[in-house]
Structures are given as structure tokens and as C-alpha cells.
Amino acid sequence: MTILKSMTRRALMGIAGAAMMTSMMPAASFAQDVTIPIIVKDTTSFYWQIVLAGARQAGKDLGVSVPELGAQSESDINGQISILENAVAGSPAAVVISPTEFKALGKPIDEAAKAVPIIGIDSGADSQAFTSFLTTDNVQGGRIAADGLAAAIKAATGKEEGEVAIITSLPGVGSLDQRREGFLDQMKTKYPGITVVVDRFADGQATTGLNMMTDLITANPNIVGVFASNLIMAQGVGQAIAENKLGDKIKVIGFDSDEKTVGFLKEGVLAGLVVQDPYRMGYDGVKTALAVSKGEKVETFVDTGANLVTQANMAEPKMDALLNPKVN
């Protein structure tokens, strides 16, 4: 009788344990089955590699699959649309995307959002379908660049005066248009002695930025400052300044950073870099997407911040962390 009771007890405990394991399995399997693709503008750019690194780490920390997708160039708009359509066709839990072009990505994002939640990062699109949007306040980023350029010109000449230029990587890109807007507005309202005499758009290639700046040096000998509003243009403009040894005469503020532009900053070729937090965009983008897929409430807009990095502050811990993110 004692043996029977003991066996019965063991059997009941085994059944209870099995039931507990069974109840736990769906949750464990859910975490492993969740797929959240992230689609960036250009998988070859260091900036977007930082975004992807953040997303990758979020995937590891949260136990979800994060396919890393994107075109080979920020100008490949149709390529990104196709990537988005294919990603949605795979029925993911949500999609994180940085749209390449404001107008062109509007309808594709509207359509995608009918099937899955869409989380936007970095750049906007002509769509109201984003469940949440994480980005730098790019208008404010443009203002920060204007303040930085005015300060650099004053440090070199003793006054906030002179002719300056702005070179935008591509037309129609939400984030770049906003930076340009903020820069032009800040210069007009805060620095009446500084005149923007050149306002040009490139084609998304660093060599074009180099050629445009080289031509600018010849055609506008009175130029004292330039705002190169993204990483690619900062690379090209910086190269032209370095080749002509004009770092003391023409002050340049770039946007975003990589090894090359940080080197230019150290050498005095560039006067400053407006640096975002792309790692956070990638990480929090995936984290937000997972929360949305679980039905949790999230913020509709998150400002991930921007800072002006100069030779004077680049060694500070906060700035150093932004300039040297972990990309692995």
C-alpha cells in the first residue's frame, strides 16, 4: 500500500511537471519564432552598420530573429521598396525601416502597415502608418550645425560673418531636408552676418561631394564655411579641404561620423561633427517593434538626440562613446 501511494505520488508529480513544461513551451517557442526585419538605406555605409549593430544586439538580448536588410546605396529607392514588400510577405511580427525617400516610400509603407506594424527610424516618409518613430530631431540637428559653424568661423576670424554653403547628399530625403531647413532657418534668424550663398544637392556619392567642393573652392573664393549634411558628403567635402589644405580658412561641419571623418576632425580638416545615436535607433527600434507585436503601448515619437563633437570635446566619455560605437 505504501509502495502504491509512493508510486501514485511520483506519477502525479510527473504529470504535474509535464503539464508545467507544456504550459511553458509556447512562451519559449514564441520568443524564438519572432522575426523582426530591419531595413536600412544602405548596408555598406558605416552609419548604417552601427544601426544594424544595435538591432543585432537587441535581437540577442530579446531572443528574436532580426534579419538585416537594405540596398547597396541610399539612392536605390526601388530596391528598398522591393525589400520591404518581400519582408512583409514573410509575415514577420513587425518591421523596422528607415525610408530612403520621403514621397516614394509613403504608399509602400501604408500598404505594409495593413499587414504588420511598421516602426520607423532615422528618416520619415509620407505616411501616417508608423506605429512608432525613433529619430533625431533633424531640424534641431541642422540648428546645431549652424551654431557650430558660426562658432568655428568666429574662432577663426573673430566675427560671425562671411559666406557659407550647404551641400545636401540627396533631394527628397526626409531627414536631410529637415537638417537643411533647420540650418537655413538658424542662419537667417540668429546670424545676420553670415550669408548662405550656395545651396546644392548631390547624388549620394562621396566623389560627387569631393568634386562639388573642389569646384566651390575655385568658383567662390570668399567661402568661409560649409555644412555637409550627412556622412557621405562630409567624407567628400573633407577630402577636398584636406587636398587643398584649407582647414584653417574654410570651416566645415559634417553630420555623423566614421573613421575617416573622425580622422579629419582630429587633423582640423573638419571643425565639427553633429553626431546622432544610430546604435540606439537600431536597438530601440527592434525593442519597440517587439513590444508592439505583443500588444504593448509604445511612444509614437522618440527623439534619440544629437550632439556637436569638436576637437575640444571629442575625448569626453559621452562623445567618445558616440564616435566609437561597438560594431560587431
Side-chain angles (χ1 to χ4, degrees):
M1 189 73 173
T2 304
I3 295 173
L4 181 59
K5 283 183 179 178
S6 177
M7 288 179 66
T8 303
R9 256 194 323 268
R10 283 199 299 270
L12 287 170
M13 288 175 68
I15 292 168
M20 187 177 292
M21 289 288 288
T22 302
S23 69
M24 290 172 67
M25 282 176 68
S29 120
F30 172 77
Q32 301 213 353
D33 290 346
V34 171
T35 297
I36 300 173
I38 180 167
I39 305 171
V40 297
K41 297 180 186 179
D42 173 6
T43 56
T44 67
S45 164
F46 184 69
Y47 176 83
W48 296 110
Q49 288 171 20
I50 300 171
V51 173
L52 293 176
R56 191 179 312 129
Q57 187 60 49
K60 292 175 183 176
D61 292 348
L62 302 171
V64 300
S65 173
V66 183
E68 299 172 15
L69 309 174
Q72 298 294 298
S73 167
E74 292 196 16
S75 59
D76 188 2
I77 298 166
N78 290 331
Q80 192 186 53
I81 292 172
S82 296
I83 290 167
L84 173 61
E85 291 170 347
N86 290 335
V88 171
S91 300
V95 171
V96 180
I97 185 170
S98 178
T100 54
E101 205 273 342
F102 184 81
K103 289 288 185 184
L105 268 292
K107 287 185 179 178
I109 286 172
D110 286 342
E111 287 301 311
K114 293 176 183 177
V116 298
I118 303 295
I119 307 301
I121 59 171
D122 185 80
S123 294
D126 190 12
S127 171
Q128 300 299 314
F130 293 109
T131 305
S132 181
F133 196 78
L134 299 87
T135 185
T136 303
D137 181 341
N138 281 291
V139 174
Q140 179 61 17
R143 294 191 186 108
I144 291 170
D147 289 342
L149 188 57
I153 292 169
K154 184 176 181 180
T157 67
K159 50 193 176 182
E160 294 170 345
E161 293 180 6
E163 298 180 352
V164 302
I166 176 171
I167 299 179
T168 303
S169 183
L170 287 163
V173 178
S175 58
L176 302 185
D177 288 347
Q178 289 164 1
R179 290 171 200 170
R180 175 179 172 273
E181 174 192 338
F183 178 82
L184 293 173
D185 181 67
Q186 191 80 335
M187 282 300 185
K188 182 179 179 181
T189 58
K190 192 174 178 181
Y191 303 105
I194 298 176
T195 306
V196 180
V197 295
V198 176
D199 180 4
R200 292 184 184 168
F201 292 91
D203 61 359
Q205 303 298 318
T207 51
T208 305
L210 167 61
N211 293 335
M212 288 177 80
M213 188 64 217
T214 302
D215 292 343
L216 193 60
I217 290 166
T218 304
N220 298 76
N222 295 325
I223 287 284
V224 294
V226 178
F227 174 37
S229 68
N230 81 336
L231 176 62
I232 296 169
M233 288 303 105
Q235 291 171 344
V237 170
Q239 188 64 40
I241 295 294
E243 289 178 1
N244 290 277
K245 297 181 173 57
L246 289 172
D248 291 335
K249 181 182 177 184
I250 302 177
K251 299 303 174 182
V252 179
I253 301 294
F255 213 103
D256 298 325
S257 65
D258 66 352
E259 187 176 354
K260 185 171 185 176
T261 54
V262 170
F264 283 154
L265 184 61
K266 288 178 180 176
E267 296 161 10
V269 173
L270 300 181
L273 294 168
V274 180
V275 180
Q276 307 178 78
D277 196 343
Y279 189 93
R280 180 185 172 190
M281 284 186 206
Y283 191 101
D284 286 0
V286 171
K287 183 179 178 181
T288 302
L290 179 61
V292 168
S293 73
K294 293 178 177 179
E296 298 173 11
K297 188 176 180 180
V298 299
E299 294 290 331
T300 55
F301 179 85
V302 178
D303 179 4
T304 52
N307 296 271
L308 179 68
V309 184
T310 64
Q311 277 187 331
N313 69 7
M314 65 188 300
E316 294 176 6
K318 178 182 177 180
M319 301 308 182
D320 182 67
L322 292 171
L323 292 177
N324 300 288
K326 295 178 181 178
V327 181
N328 49 38

